[in-house]
Amino acid sequence: MTCALGNLGADLPQLRPSPKMSSSAPNTPLAEKIPVGILGATGTVGQRFIQLLEGHPYFVVAAVGASARSAGKAYKDAAARSWKQITVIPADVASLIVQTCEPENFKNCRIVFSGLDSDVAGDIESAFLKADFAVFSNAKNYRMDPIVPLIVPLVNTSHFDVIAHQRKVHGLSKGFIITNANCSTTGLVVPLKALQDAFGPLSRVVVTTMQAISGAGYPGVPSLDILGNVVPYISGEEEKIEIECSKILGGVTADLTGFSNLPEMKVSASCNRVPVIDGHMESVMVEFQKCPAPSIEQIIEALQSYTSDAQKLGVPSAPEHAVVVMKEADRPQPRMDIMIGNGNTVAVGRVRKCNIFDVKFSLLSHNTILGAAGSSIMNAEVAVAKGLI
Amino acid sequence: MTCALGNLGADLPQLRPSPKMSSSAPNTPLAEKIPVGILGATGTVGQRFIQLLEGHPYFVVAAVGASARSAGKAYKDAAARSWKQITVIPADVASLIVQTCEPENFKNCRIVFSGLDSDVAGDIESAFLKADFAVFSNAKNYRMDPIVPLIVPLVNTSHFDVIAHQRKVHGLSKGFIITNANCSTTGLVVPLKALQDAFGPLSRVVVTTMQAISGAGYPGVPSLDILGNVVPYISGEEEKIEIECSKILGGVTADLTGFSNLPEMKVSASCNRVPVIDGHMESVMVEFQKCPAPSIEQIIEALQSYTSDAQKLGVPSAPEHAVVVMKEADRPQPRMDIMIGNGNTVAVGRVRKCNIFDVKFSLLSHNTILGAAGSSIMNAEVAVAKGLI
Amino acid sequence: MTCALGNLGADLPQLRPSPKMSSSAPNTPLAEKIPVGILGATGTVGQRFIQLLEGHPYFVVAAVGASARSAGKAYKDAAARSWKQITVIPADVASLIVQTCEPENFKNCRIVFSGLDSDVAGDIESAFLKADFAVFSNAKNYRMDPIVPLIVPLVNTSHFDVIAHQRKVHGLSKGFIITNANCSTTGLVVPLKALQDAFGPLSRVVVTTMQAISGAGYPGVPSLDILGNVVPYISGEEEKIEIECSKILGGVTADLTGFSNLPEMKVSASCNRVPVIDGHMESVMVEFQKCPAPSIEQIIEALQSYTSDAQKLGVPSAPEHAVVVMKEADRPQPRMDIMIGNGNTVAVGRVRKCNIFDVKFSLLSHNTILGAAGSSIMNAEVAVAKGLI
Amino acid sequence: MTCALGNLGADLPQLRPSPKMSSSAPNTPLAEKIPVGILGATGTVGQRFIQLLEGHPYFVVAAVGASARSAGKAYKDAAARSWKQITVIPADVASLIVQTCEPENFKNCRIVFSGLDSDVAGDIESAFLKADFAVFSNAKNYRMDPIVPLIVPLVNTSHFDVIAHQRKVHGLSKGFIITNANCSTTGLVVPLKALQDAFGPLSRVVVTTMQAISGAGYPGVPSLDILGNVVPYISGEEEKIEIECSKILGGVTADLTGFSNLPEMKVSASCNRVPVIDGHMESVMVEFQKCPAPSIEQIIEALQSYTSDAQKLGVPSAPEHAVVVMKEADRPQPRMDIMIGNGNTVAVGRVRKCNIFDVKFSLLSHNTILGAAGSSIMNAEVAVAKGLI
């Protein structure tokens, strides 16, 4: 890799963002950290939350919630068979007693991170919102709600501006709910935002995804379906990409009461599952409204120099680069490049002319870090930085 | 395999077209079959030729050619380590002595099938052409030559009409050269041709491929590069798709001296390698010139009812269906569907509306049967049926 | 697949034994075939039964049974999502209405093949036995029952001799129950039997398995557990191998009322799951009681020349060779060799001296053909040949 | 994982030993570090050396050697296509000019680490030895030389005692050569040493390996050979295991002029390649000379409490635990457990009774860290600690 990643090795604790290291903030004493709860703590996303929050400078996991079947057990016992991370369960979480996902069991928490499945997330998250928690959700249920921000932290933290209105509508003093995007949407919107910021509105985006199995959770995809195979379908995935992009890349209305989507930007997605553990690859084509379109060199420059608000705020999980542009002909690749920026950077490669649109490229993003729990955590860090918590 | 499995092949039609069965032609006595030679016989494509020609009703393998390193050895010894088919080497080929690829070593042959690498195919195929052989080549060298047909047998056998002119130019009496297309092009043009025949010219085609490792030959792709990984690049592949489609889907000039390409049809390809053994998956988007575009139902009907000239001629390798349209939400898949039509049918699925173009769908084709040796053989069958041999 | 591929199966014998071809028996008219039922028809083993019985010369599938959830639906609908074979559902079975697994629903059948899970197989198979059906079971429940034969058809069809006693005990006129062995046991005992027949009793057998994922059924092994991984544990598998070998390789008591196991033969198994679709590999070490032990050449000769009773009886599924010994240094391999003998032959390779025991070798057997449904069917063929049905 | 790894997460820079962190030694200023050279620097093992030595507290890479084809290029250019590590090339090494592997090009180095292929390692390492370098070699060439130590640093650092004699024989003042073991041997001997130390000599060891593809280097294993497959053969591997164990687990002669092997310990190995990136799994059976044998509980205790000399010396790469015993039924697994102890710990699981020997278990070790470059580096650290450098 010839891009400016010279110090990547140096800060490669590799499996989690290293807020202690990459942030200049002094290490917060444990007693002063913000206690957070994890909803859906035994699931794949819940596990990532727990892993990524180990040693976090702002937050400490103080409660874990799961279904009634797990409730009452120590987390290490409830998650024993399903823990599929390559680091061990952090000792302080291992001994927490799993609770059912009811607000009264999380009274010691200021924030809850939700890794709940969508079939239960709606009611539970709503209950926590009403109980005045700050809810950061990975579930799809409220993403398109007109007063719920759908925030990819490297893209549209300006959408936090709707929180005041949301609180007012729901009669809350300190609670609110923020959702983050579908994993395959997340990787896509970061370079799209870079291009939109540099060159104005996009008119058309074609994306074909090759998505990792970890995106389906555990047990998730049966091995007989994916070993040596490609499955050209992921239920609901194409629709999510097509509608979420428009909200994320859009703005906030002038009165800060909602979102101004981008109906003029057309997105067409085709989603495939491939036998990769972590890391969604996407083949992308983009057309600009602006004519003539920027050159390939200008596009590369815009991608490389893009800096999100989360980075400017210096929150702990924000990577040095929101986007890295790889120059090798055959990169990025999931096996090699998935941990760039501790899993919070989008790797882009093969930026080249397209016969039909203005540019095409490949991108790779970590579907369970930036694409799930990592985004939620970075969103929460931004909320802290913005004084919302 | 040296054990006594000589007759295993006999009850394993699975991996080659079964001309004996699907053709109504009575079995030709061996003495009357057309003797053919295989150039590049020890390579992956050469092996497929040998496998697919076992028991062929028209052709019998009479000579095998490879590099000087292999020449002089019995084929079974020369190919011992590299034979990667799941059927055994046919007994009659196993004992053939490998020759260097020079015309004088193939005097007993009327036809040569070339599975040569492109770095040597140019000179060798040219020498065989000058020596008045009928050459059927998988190599890319002459595909874009203005008097060399580039034929996908389920698409454009009308391009054989240029042979008379080609012979005249080269001063040949019975020889000629026919190329078949790149493996990823081949799967694509079959449904495109069905749509073009039914609804008129296409204006734009976007294709993102997920290609099998067998397409790179042996040893080919190192396992460290592809296990649990996606490689978003295959050298030269996108260019091949983009230029070959135009020639294949175009016609023959009125004076039968060349080809009328389709410059108005724009094709944009993005090619990826995935950890699949056999079978190229492609996510495709198509826009018609015709407005309004046909409905999804009309498109499905056109794909299903498409019948190529090769099928109408009833040549032995022609599948019952050129295209099958699968109705399950998650098909086709390489592991399950690759042998439909004995590897000579293109499986299409997920035919649906596109936000940007008129239709999008997924397709699967067998990259080393229809996409390579199978096409060459079917082309030769068509040449026989047309009286060119 | 719902498209018009009804006759695809007809020229794709590859995935089932091809009794029509390999047997000299003339094709039995359908009306005279023996009607059979499949219990657990929608599961992985049930599917293999249906696939392998298509066009069978003795048997015709007349009824299919599954859980109450599937009952009442056409088989093609009940199995639509779980059918994971690479051939399509045979047309005559596709339209059968799925029944619950009760004897009154199978009155038109003479035989039932059971692919039931062990948690329900016990009661259901018992009910069918009491209703005087001939039951051929893949389940483990009755394998070690003292009057139930545990038969690997290439090894111990002599155990059918206990049927008369079994009928007497259960008061049956024509019914009986035969079990076949665990998939990893099955591949092992075939060469062990060849060695035992040639050189007398074995004293010690060490086996380390590398087992395919299809052995765990569908959905079975989660892809997150096995992609790029090895799992050194399969619940209950080692115990099954260690106890089943002794019964299968043992004889029948002199009074034909039970089995004389081989307690003096010690077996130690270590079982691993690997990312392979079909085909169990086993590294085996054997020590003979006989001293001096036979030479490696004698062992190879004994393996190659071994002919089981099923082969001598000429039943349709019996392969030409019970064991093939491959001479290449790096074979057998699942991807290349799994279909030798249509999946009913055990491939052995690397027969060589061992520093500790007398010989070591690698073997490969098809876990869902010879290792499951194929054995049951061959057992039923033997029962027919022996006049038990 | 319930074993005592609570602080694993905390020191998980994951892809290299973290001497800076795990050692209590203050960070050595660069100018005082020992300059080392890497022979075979562009190969897979060479790359691991470079990766693992980044930021090393004792050593700094000062020269890199490769074949004449690479010589003269900057390392980053010479290794551009073959670099397959998931961290980037360290900046200081990237700009080093690759040298041919001749001693005069490494005059600035005190130590050379050799990742050379065995076909060239013999002559080159010999030349460096004669030129009085301290040579730490991964190649097999001198492993069985009667005056060359074969050292697995977690097992037999006592073999350094022969260095004085080796120097005398070769007339060297400060140079010497140390080899480390074959990757599959290395994982095996660590628990064997623990058992031997606790319970006396072992009489018989059976090992069946399931080895990762990275062990074969790059390009190494073709993907067509291993995807969805098992290859039951690795050239020369079984012999290496069988002979190396005896030397490593043996002692040094009383006069410190050679090694006392263990001919009475019989080892039988069966080696298989599986589709795993990193991490060799081994199914092991052990018999003790001692009778009665220790109990399973005693064996587990001995494995867990084993502490090697390298650990006692506190060298930077020494892991906290030489062996961890996992209690879950299905562990260790390569995908989950390969980085325990930063890749320098051997994970053992499924310790249980064996029907034939005294105990059987599964083990996992990192084949390119502990099994290759990591051992060499730890050996060099021990040499420093022992005052040999």
Side-chain angles (χ1 to χ4, degrees), chain B residues 163-183:
Chain B
I163 289 299
H165 178 67
Q166 188 197 89
R167 281 176 171 163
K168 197 164 123 190
V169 169
H170 288 299
L172 302 171
S173 61
K174 52 184 188 156
F176 58 83
I177 182 168
I178 300 288
T179 59
N180 50 287
N182 183 46
C183 50

Side-chain angles (χ1 to χ4, degrees), chain D residues 283-344:
Chain D
S283 286
V284 182
M285 295 165 174
V286 175
E287 186 182 69
F288 297 92
Q289 286 191 17
K290 171 182 158 78
C291 186
S295 70
I296 297 298
E297 293 66 33
Q298 290 171 319
I299 288 169
I300 291 174
E301 170 56 25
L303 292 168
Q304 284 179 320
S305 62
Y306 172 69
T307 307
S308 66
D309 288 340
Q311 295 167 282
K312 290 174 191 159
L313 287 168
V315 299
S317 300
E320 184 179 348
H321 302 279
V323 177
V324 296
V325 179
M326 305 189 76
K327 298 202 174 58
E328 296 83 350
D330 60 353
R331 302 287 277 271
Q333 297 176 14
R335 193 172 79 72
M336 308 281 285
D337 304 314
I338 196 60
M339 290 309 298
I340 296 176
N342 284 326
N344 278 320

Side-chain angles (χ1 to χ4, degrees), chain B residues 44 84 213-214 217-228 274-277, chain D residues 44 84 213-214 217-228 274-277:
Chain B
T44 305
K84 294 290 162 188
I213 56 173
S214 62
Y218 184 84
V221 183
S223 53
L224 275 172
D225 280 341
I226 200 64
L227 186 64
V274 293
V276 165
I277 299 277
Chain D
T44 307
K84 295 289 162 187
I213 57 174
S214 61
Y218 184 83
V221 183
S223 54
L224 276 173
D225 280 340
I226 200 65
L227 186 65
V274 293
V276 165
I277 300 279

Side-chain angles (χ1 to χ4, degrees), chain C residues 156-167:
Chain C
N156 63 325
T157 51
S158 65
H159 288 205
F160 272 106
D161 293 350
V162 175
I163 289 300
H165 177 68
Q166 188 197 90
R167 281 176 171 164

Side-chain angles (χ1 to χ4, degrees), chain D residues 56-121:
Chain D
H56 194 280
Y58 294 2
F59 308 126
V60 60
V61 177
V64 286
S67 68
R69 202 179 57 246
S70 295
K73 298 179 189 168
Y75 182 77
K76 70 174 180 292
D77 299 322
R81 293 187 57 86
S82 62
W83 183 264
K84 295 289 162 187
Q85 310 305 317
I86 73 169
T87 53
V88 297
I89 301 176
D92 53 340
V93 176
S95 58
L96 289 178
I97 301 301
V98 176
Q99 309 293 325
T100 54
C101 291
E102 293 162 291
E104 58 265 35
N105 298 332
F106 289 74
K107 281 184 180 157
N108 58 336
C109 298
R110 173 73 185 86
I111 289 172
V112 290
F113 290 106
S114 166
L116 292 167
D117 284 339
S118 58
D119 55 347
V120 298

Side-chain angles (χ1 to χ4, degrees), chain C residues 101-173:
Chain C
C101 293
E102 293 162 289
E104 58 266 34
N105 297 333
F106 288 74
K107 282 185 180 156
N108 59 334
C109 299
R110 174 74 185 85
I111 290 171
V112 291
F113 291 106
S114 166
L116 292 166
D117 283 340
S118 59
D119 54 348
V120 297
D123 290 346
I124 294 176
E125 294 177 0
S126 175
F128 277 84
L129 177 65
K130 286 176 189 158
D132 224 8
F133 284 84
V135 179
F136 291 87
S137 171
N138 268 276
K140 69 178 179 189
N141 307 58
Y142 296 111
R143 284 181 192 156
M144 301 312 292
D145 184 294
I147 59 166
V148 174
L150 172 58
I151 300 182
V152 172
L154 299 177
V155 174
N156 63 325
T157 51
S158 65
H159 288 205
F160 272 106
D161 293 350
V162 175
I163 289 300
H165 177 68
Q166 188 197 90
R167 281 176 171 164
K168 197 164 121 192
V169 169
H170 288 299
L172 304 171
S173 61

